[in-house]
Amino acid sequence: MSSGNFLPDLSPPDVQQAAQLIQQAYSSAHAQVDQRRIQQELVEIQRRPEAWGLVVPFLEHPDPNVQFFGAHTAQVKIMRDWDSFPEENAEHLRELLLKLTSHSILTGKGKVVCRKLFVAITSLALRIAPGSPSRWPDWIVSAVNSLSSSGMPPDQLLAFLTIVAEEVETADLLGSSKMQMHQSLLDASPMVIQAVITSITRPTLILPELQSALKCFQAWIYTLRANDITPIIPLLITIMTPAPDSGFDESTFSVASDVLQEIMTRSSLAGGAGTSTLTEPLLVWLNAHGDRAGSIDGVSHSLCKLLVALGDHSTMYFASNITSSKPIPGTPYRRAYFVQKFLHLLLKYTGLSGYYGIDEEESEMTLGFWYLFQESLWSVEYEDQAEDQDGIPSLLDVKENEQWTVVNAVYVQLVEILRRKVMWPDQRTLSYWAKDEVDRFQVYRRDVGDTLINAYYILRNDMLGYFLEDMQKRFAQPNGLQGWEEIEATLHCIMSIQEAVPLEDNLFLARLFGPDVLGRLPTSGQDRIRRTMLGLIAVYSTWFTTQTNAPTPTSTPSLLMNAISYVVTALPEPALCLPAANALRDLCDANRVALAPHIGAFAELHAGLSGIPDTEKSKVLQSIASVIQALPPEEEIPPIQAIVIPVIEKLAQALHGPSQLVDETRFIIISQLQTLSGVAKGLTRTQDSLLILDESPEERAEAERLQRARDDYTMVKVREDLFNTIRNIARYWSMDAGVSDALSDFFRSITSLPSDITLLSLPAAPIFEIVCLACQRQLTAVWLSLANMLVIQLDPPTLFSTSTLKSTPSPEALRVISTLLPILLEASLGVLGQPGAMEANPDIVQAFFGCMDTIAKHFLVGFYRLPPGALDALMQCAVTSLSLQERYSLVATCTFLETLIRRTASSDDLGDASTVLIQGHGRPILRAILCGFAGVAPRSATQNLIELLSIVASKFPAETRTWMTDILFADDFVQSRASPEAKRTFVKAIIGSRSPKKTREAAQQFTLVARGLEGTSFGYASVNI
């Protein structure tokens, strides 16, 4: 074995002491704290230059753990400390590593040790092979020849070649070095292919060698050219082929199948290439040996994966040849035969007997193919493009008709299979399932729903017709034999395809919601099928809007009211109350006008809500409110009063109830706030207000009519009582997390822009005051995000305005901001100014600066009317926030500062405010930006810092030049890899920049240099994160 005389020479006691430390690290006798200390000591040992001298003695040590550490040290030193290694010793190190590796394998050292040495050799090659001239030309062939000549067995040579491909593929190389290493792989490809072929064509296969060969081939697939891969394919198919007498060998079948799957997904033959050399040979093999499809064992599982990979690879081939009469060479059959046989095999796996996740694991794997197949069928192009002649259909038309006949038959079979596969077992069987098995089956049903959508795009109404006919046959069975599980599965399928069904009149849906189906479903017991039907009604709620109001047997009132009645019947039942309330909400929201004439029935529903839990009552009241909204404004007053006043009274009673019943009071407050939120949402009209902002007389008349109804004494009194109650809740309960969330949802629902105002809407200003006072009690992101929303409502777009210019805020709104902004700032800065507060509460920081940004956009002058010192405190907080490691906090701060500086500098009404702002805070802001570039801020926020720098530099170039130079060359500037020359180049580029693009490029380059990422693929690949 070659001598390591060029490495540091360590005394035997030093080597022994280090070896004992390694043995202690792997000993279970030491406590976890000691283990961490020892690990840290070992890391420190590896960092020393003398650590090179541990490689040889450690590899000669009898303890495998010490041997591994020796191999690992060689790899680490090459990767991390190569710059300090003497260049003239590189070739000596190469020869030493090759000899050490050969010796380790021949003396039977562990696989993990040998693998580490393989990695070390490859790491060394990555250091010395690139360049001109190369210090290790043809390094792969050279290394293999060296290792082979020493007697290394073939399976170990293949393992080495596997490591080579893996390490080179993931190496952090750039430009010419990357290309040179990739070329070295290409140059070695013939040798690798020959080695693989030799190992997999032996008369008697040796399983470890076969596995090593195929694993090596998989590692090289990404590099190999198509003509390198093609010769391997028939050999892999031969390995999969069962012996005439003994059948399939699972171990060899699976490894060959895995490689073929890899060829179809990662190689140069991926994406549909190689139909004659890959697709068709596999189809011929499947025709002969695919009869294992549908069974459940290891070979069948691997065969299913192979089928799926082939389907993904050759989808367009299957779509183009599903009826092709062209033969496949060497067989008596047409392409159509093989394609249809493939589809038949895949359908057998899709329809495996039993339940997914319980009895089988394969059926779910096939679902994705049917989406790709459907997409490909729509993209097929035929060679014959002849047009019709004398009324005779062209060959193109004939081919299309023939194709779609077969396609429809395939998808009909698929739908029948999937409808069966999503069926739940009976309750007795289901009781034996574990919870995770139930959850997996539910996920599978959802995934099947996505596949059914693809089938609907092929079959259209024929699919709905099949579902309806199947249910009709089951309804015709004697009572008790209908098979409710089967019918539930059908309803689930119909529910799953809703997003694909056009929003138009449909006779099949009319039958579904009529007496033929909905009228025959159980209205008591059978919770599962009723829950599914409630979900189906909810997703199809908008379909009822397509029906006419003509008094026909299938008109909207009958179908819609049938659905309403079915839903209402389920409301009192605890197991169905939630889906029933959701369905009622969706129905009423989508069909307000059609249901308005039935307001009396909803009044009866409101009167009978006593049996419905408070948690779902809010949705029911939202449903009723949706119907109320469709009434004329003056007619809305009595029902709103009837709904809202009892809720207000219940809240008032809870606030004045016994103080010891805290949990009960809390529950009542939250549930009643949710009810009020639901009512407010229901009363909001469904049209997009941005689409109806015009000056039409009808809209003006409607707005005036609504305002008269709002001015009615009854509604004024309801709103006053509501506001007073809510203010008391916020005063006493705003520090409770559950109540604050409920209040937040209520405030978002009860306030609105002028275009969305309702009879119950409350003005933004007093709500803003409540929110600011809540922030004083306990600052949370919930209250700050609410404040953000309310600021926008204080300066809304003008209703019916024809001007394209943004109007100035009203004096009243400015007074509100001038009064409340100091309160909000005092409360926020008092919390965020505490040591560690910003790091511990990134959500509050983000929400706070988001709110400040909104105020800067709508009420900029408010910042310059603050009490003395308040703006300075805000800016100091912002500068501190620029050094945070949490990205969203930093981004929100950058956005606020950018808005404040830009709008202040552009305003003609603020006098010298811009100069005062930048003179007082420009330098600290700029220093925080530059420190962020140099490593203080996360790299994901670099773009935001660049935008802020661009604003400062463009608005204040003279100050920027002076400050940047002072900051970058100051003794207290953050330590970085940027040299003085790099800093000068950066300053010059920023000052000379005339565009944001140039500024961005200069800042990105400085960031890479300062962080030591220049010249790395990671640095450049992530430059735009």
Side-chain angles (χ1 to χ4, degrees):
M1 187 168 59
S2 177
S3 171
N5 292 336
F6 61 94
L7 297 177
D9 186 19
L10 301 181
S11 66
D14 289 342
V15 173
Q16 185 61 31
Q17 183 179 357
Q20 290 175 352
L21 198 61
I22 296 168
Q23 291 171 324
Q24 292 174 16
Y26 287 95
S27 172
S28 58
H30 292 80
Q32 188 174 3
V33 176
D34 291 335
Q35 294 274 5
R36 284 198 295 266
R37 178 186 55 78
I38 295 170
Q39 291 287 353
Q40 186 59 40
E41 287 185 34
L42 291 174
V43 170
E44 291 299 326
I45 289 174
Q46 276 188 332
R47 287 176 177 168
R48 297 172 188 166
E50 297 81 5
W52 285 103
L54 294 173
V55 175
V56 174
F58 274 10
L59 283 170
E60 294 174 346
H61 197 280
D63 190 329
N65 293 323
V66 178
Q67 295 169 10
F68 174 80
F69 192 83
H72 180 60
T73 299
Q75 178 205 350
V76 169
K77 297 301 286 184
I78 292 169
M79 294 182 64
R80 191 176 62 196
D81 300 328
W82 183 250
D83 292 341
S84 61
F85 187 80
E87 186 175 347
E88 63 274 11
N89 291 332
E91 286 76 10
H92 297 302
L93 179 63
R94 178 191 68 196
E95 297 304 318
L96 175 63
L97 283 177
L98 290 171
K99 293 292 179 63
L100 289 172
T101 303
S102 299
H103 184 266
S104 296
I105 290 173
L106 295 176
T107 54
K109 289 185 171 57
K111 287 185 177 180
V112 291
V113 176
C114 298
R115 179 181 175 85
K116 269 295 172 186
L117 288 169
F118 292 158
V119 175
I121 293 172
T122 309
S123 300
L124 179 62
L126 290 168
R127 291 292 189 182
I128 66 175
S132 182
S134 172
R135 286 184 288 167
W136 195 357
D138 298 324
W139 68 276
I140 300 176
V141 176
S142 170
V144 169
N145 288 337
S146 174
L147 296 172
S148 177
S149 64
S150 66
M152 183 179 290
D155 61 319
Q156 291 290 354
L157 288 171
L158 291 164
F160 168 69
L161 289 170
T162 302
I163 296 292
V164 165
E166 293 172 347
E167 291 296 312
V168 172
E169 183 180 344
T170 58
D172 187 15
L173 298 173
L174 281 178
S176 60
S177 296
K178 189 176 185 68
M179 293 175 61
Q180 198 169 349
M181 294 305 291
H182 181 70
Q183 185 61 46
S184 70
L185 293 179
L186 292 175
D187 294 340
S189 295
M191 178 191 68
V192 174
I193 294 299
Q194 186 56 51
V196 171
I197 290 176
T198 300
S199 295
I200 67 177
T201 56
R202 297 188 188 280
T204 302
L205 292 176
I206 304 170
L207 185 59
E209 184 179 346
L210 173 67
Q211 292 172 332
S212 294
L214 294 184
K215 184 178 180 182
C216 174
F217 183 70
Q218 280 184 278
W220 281 74
I221 274 179
Y222 184 77
T223 302
L224 297 174
R225 302 180 182 92
N227 58 358
D228 292 326
I229 298 173
T230 301
I232 304 291
I233 295 173
L235 303 178
L236 294 171
I237 292 176
T238 300
I239 293 172
M240 291 196 305
T241 303
D245 301 327
S246 58
F248 287 99
D249 183 334
E250 181 177 341
S251 57
T252 58
F253 181 92
S254 295
V255 292
S257 172
D258 288 345
V259 176
L260 284 167
Q261 294 165 41
E262 200 81 359
I263 291 173
M264 289 185 281
T265 54
R266 288 185 65 237
S267 76
S268 53
L269 292 178
T275 55
S276 61
T277 56
L278 178 59
T279 303
E280 291 179 350
L282 280 174
L283 288 176
V284 173
W285 184 89
L286 287 168
N287 180 56
H289 304 288
D291 52 0
R292 290 296 290 269
S295 59
I296 300 175
D297 55 35
V299 171
S300 182
H301 181 81
S302 183
L303 176 60
C304 180
K305 291 166 61 179
L306 181 65
L307 281 167
V308 171
L310 179 59
D312 292 347
H313 171 272
S314 306
T315 313
M316 185 58 72
Y317 177 90
F318 297 140
S320 303
N321 293 283
I322 192 170
T323 55
S324 173
S325 58
K326 293 181 180 179
I328 289 183
T331 72
Y333 301 112
R334 301 174 303 153
R335 289 180 178 178
Y337 168 81
F338 290 102
V339 171
Q340 292 175 29
K341 179 64 178 287
F342 169 83
L343 295 174
H344 170 70
L345 294 176
L346 203 67
L347 282 170
K348 288 181 68 174
Y349 276 110
T350 305
L352 280 174
S353 61
Y355 295 96
Y356 172 75
I358 310 299
D359 305 307
E360 52 88 10
E361 302 284 340
E362 289 77 19
S363 61
E364 185 270 340
M365 292 192 292
T366 69
L367 298 179
F369 167 79
W370 300 106
Y371 160 72
L372 297 173
F373 190 46
Q374 173 245 314
E375 290 286 320
S376 298
L377 287 167
W378 286 353
S379 305
V380 170
E381 295 182 1
Y382 294 101
E383 297 176 3
D384 179 22
Q385 297 293 325
E387 298 180 357
D388 296 357
Q389 296 180 0
D390 301 325
I392 300 175
S394 69
L395 182 58
L396 174 62
D397 293 332
V398 173
K399 282 187 175 182
E400 282 192 311
N401 290 336
E402 183 182 356
Q403 173 200 353
W404 287 108
T405 300
V406 176
V407 168
N408 284 350
V410 170
Y411 273 91
V412 164
Q413 189 176 355
L414 173 67
V415 169
E416 292 173 352
I417 288 172
L418 293 179
R419 191 209 63 80
R420 171 178 60 81
K421 287 291 291 182
V422 300
M423 184 181 69
W424 285 98
D426 58 57
Q427 283 300 124
R428 184 174 179 276
T429 303
L430 190 60
S431 65
Y432 292 102
W433 286 15
K435 183 180 183 302
D436 64 316
E437 292 173 331
V438 174
D439 293 340
R440 284 190 69 192
F441 190 69
Q442 287 177 328
V443 172
Y444 171 73
R445 277 168 55 103
R446 288 197 293 271
D447 293 341
V448 167
D450 294 336
T451 303
L452 287 168
I453 290 175
N454 305 129
Y456 178 83
Y457 287 134
I458 299 292
L459 301 175
R460 301 292 177 178
N461 277 342
D462 290 345
M463 186 171 173
L464 288 173
Y466 160 72
F467 287 142
L468 267 294
E469 290 302 322
D470 183 83
M471 285 191 290
Q472 292 285 15
K473 291 177 183 178
R474 299 186 190 282
F475 283 135
Q477 298 296 316
N479 191 31
L481 300 176
Q482 298 94 335
W484 292 122
E485 289 86 2
E486 298 271 6
I487 296 175
E488 188 276 337
T490 304
L491 293 175
H492 171 79
C493 292
I494 298 175
M495 178 172 64
S496 299
I497 64 173
Q498 178 272 329
E499 67 180 70
V501 178
L503 189 61
E504 61 188 22
D505 194 13
N506 188 302
L507 293 177
F508 294 104
L509 293 180
R511 284 176 57 192
L512 173 67
F513 295 115
D516 290 348
V517 177
L518 183 61
R520 303 180 71 173
L521 291 177
T523 55
S524 61
Q526 299 295 338
D527 288 351
R528 186 179 300 282
I529 188 172
R530 294 173 67 196
R531 186 180 299 110
T532 301
M533 189 61 197
L534 290 169
L536 190 152
I537 290 172
V539 299
Y540 280 94
S541 58
T542 55
W543 175 82
F544 293 97
T545 63
T546 67
Q547 302 298 286
T548 63
N549 290 317
T552 65
T554 60
S555 64
T556 299
S558 61
L559 293 179
L560 179 57
M561 292 310 295
N562 280 347
I564 292 285
S565 299
Y566 185 86
V567 170
V568 170
T569 302
L571 280 173
E573 301 188 30
L576 301 175
C577 186
L578 174 59
N582 288 336
L584 184 64
R585 179 192 60 198
D586 294 345
L587 277 172
C588 292
D589 187 55
N591 300 274
R592 300 177 178 214
V593 175
L595 291 172
H598 302 276
I599 191 65
F602 286 95
E604 295 177 6
L605 173 62
H606 178 248
L609 288 179
S610 57
I612 299 176
D614 285 343
T615 52
E616 312 308 332
K617 194 176 295 184
S618 64
K619 297 171 185 174
V620 178
L621 290 178
Q622 181 176 344
S623 306
I624 298 174
S626 298
V627 179
I628 293 172
Q629 187 273 327
L631 297 172
E634 60 275 7
E635 295 181 22
E636 294 181 40
I637 297 174
I640 290 177
Q641 188 179 13
I643 290 176
V644 174
I645 288 179
V647 179
I648 295 174
E649 291 175 347
K650 193 167 185 178
L651 282 170
Q653 292 172 3
L655 287 171
H656 294 92
S659 58
Q660 62 269 26
L661 301 177
V662 176
D663 290 339
E664 182 179 342
T665 301
R666 179 178 181 273
F667 175 79
I668 293 173
I669 290 174
I670 292 175
S671 62
Q672 297 309 303
L673 285 173
Q674 290 172 341
T675 298
L676 289 172
S677 299
V679 172
K681 292 173 184 175
L683 290 175
T684 303
R685 58 182 173 179
T686 55
Q687 300 99 322
D688 190 341
S689 61
L690 296 177
L691 302 178
I692 57 174
L693 290 179
D694 55 41
E695 292 190 81
S696 67
E698 294 80 7
E699 289 296 337
R700 287 187 174 278
E702 180 65 23
E704 292 171 359
R705 190 176 183 185
L706 178 64
Q707 188 57 49
R708 286 196 299 271
R710 278 182 59 84
D711 293 339
D712 182 276
Y713 172 77
T714 302
M715 284 311 306
V716 171
K717 184 67 167 61
V718 168
R719 290 197 300 273
E720 287 179 354
D721 293 345
L722 176 61
F723 175 77
N724 291 331
T725 302
I726 296 302
R727 182 172 56 189
N728 289 332
I729 292 173
R731 178 181 302 165
Y732 298 113
W733 284 87
S734 63
M735 296 178 67
D736 182 275
V739 174
S740 67
D741 285 341
L743 278 171
S744 172
D745 188 42
F746 170 74
F747 288 149
R748 294 178 188 279
S749 305
I750 205 68
T751 57
S752 69
L753 296 173
S755 55
D756 292 324
I757 198 167
T758 71
L759 296 190
L760 205 59
S761 297
L762 296 177
I767 300 295
F768 189 27
E769 181 180 1
I770 291 177
V771 169
C772 290
L773 295 176
C775 288
Q776 283 186 313
R777 298 185 190 96
Q778 184 180 38
L779 186 70
T780 67
V782 171
W783 297 124
L784 289 168
S785 62
L786 271 176
N788 192 350
M789 179 198 74
L790 293 166
V791 168
I792 297 173
Q793 294 188 7
L794 286 170
D795 184 29
T798 305
L799 195 61
F800 305 129
S801 173
T802 58
S803 173
T804 58
L805 298 176
K806 178 80 169 66
S807 60
T808 58
S810 66
E812 293 80 5
L814 277 173
R815 281 195 293 271
V816 171
I817 291 295
S818 298
T819 302
L820 297 179
L821 178 57
I823 298 175
L824 187 61
L825 279 179
E826 182 182 4
S828 302
L829 298 179
V831 172
L832 298 178
Q834 299 296 320
M838 287 198 282
E839 290 82 359
N841 300 282
D843 58 331
I844 294 179
V845 177
Q846 180 186 1
F848 172 68
F849 284 109
C851 180
M852 293 301 103
D853 180 61
T854 301
I855 295 175
K857 289 174 180 174
H858 291 265
F859 299 96
L860 178 64
V861 69
F863 288 110
Y864 298 99
R865 295 181 179 178
L866 287 169
L871 180 59
D872 292 337
L874 171 60
M875 297 303 292
Q876 290 165 9
C877 178
V879 170
T880 303
S881 179
L882 288 176
S883 63
L884 294 177
Q885 290 298 303
E886 206 283 324
R887 178 178 182 270
Y888 295 106
S889 302
L890 199 154
V891 169
T893 308
C894 288
T895 304
F896 160 65
L897 289 173
E898 182 184 346
T899 301
L900 181 67
I901 294 171
R902 185 183 64 252
R903 298 199 74 233
T904 300
S906 304
S907 176
D908 297 329
D909 302 327
L910 295 177
D912 62 349
S914 176
T915 303
V916 174
L917 178 70
I918 206 66
Q919 290 298 332
H921 306 285
R923 194 180 191 283
I925 291 173
L926 196 57
R927 187 180 190 282
I929 294 172
L930 297 177
C931 289
F933 291 154
V936 172
R939 291 202 60 233
S940 57
T942 300
Q943 296 303 315
N944 304 91
L945 291 171
I946 291 173
E947 292 172 9
L948 181 56
L949 172 63
S950 182
I951 287 293
V952 175
S954 62
K955 299 295 184 183
F956 308 97
E959 292 87 345
T960 300
R961 174 186 294 132
T962 303
W963 290 337
M964 281 188 69
T965 304
D966 293 345
I967 293 167
L968 289 172
F969 290 94
D971 293 337
D972 62 348
F973 186 69
V974 64
Q975 292 295 317
S976 72
R977 302 286 186 89
S979 65
E981 181 59 31
K983 293 178 181 180
R984 280 190 289 269
T985 301
F986 179 40
V987 174
K988 182 178 178 181
I990 295 297
I991 299 305
S993 172
R994 294 293 181 267
S995 69
K997 180 181 178 182
K998 294 293 185 182
T999 301
R1000 181 170 62 252
E1001 291 173 353
Q1004 287 173 342
Q1005 180 62 26
F1006 178 74
T1007 300
L1008 292 176
V1009 172
R1011 296 173 186 245
L1013 296 174
E1014 186 185 25
T1016 66
S1017 59
F1018 169 76
Y1020 287 106
S1022 57
V1023 75
N1024 290 317
I1025 291 179

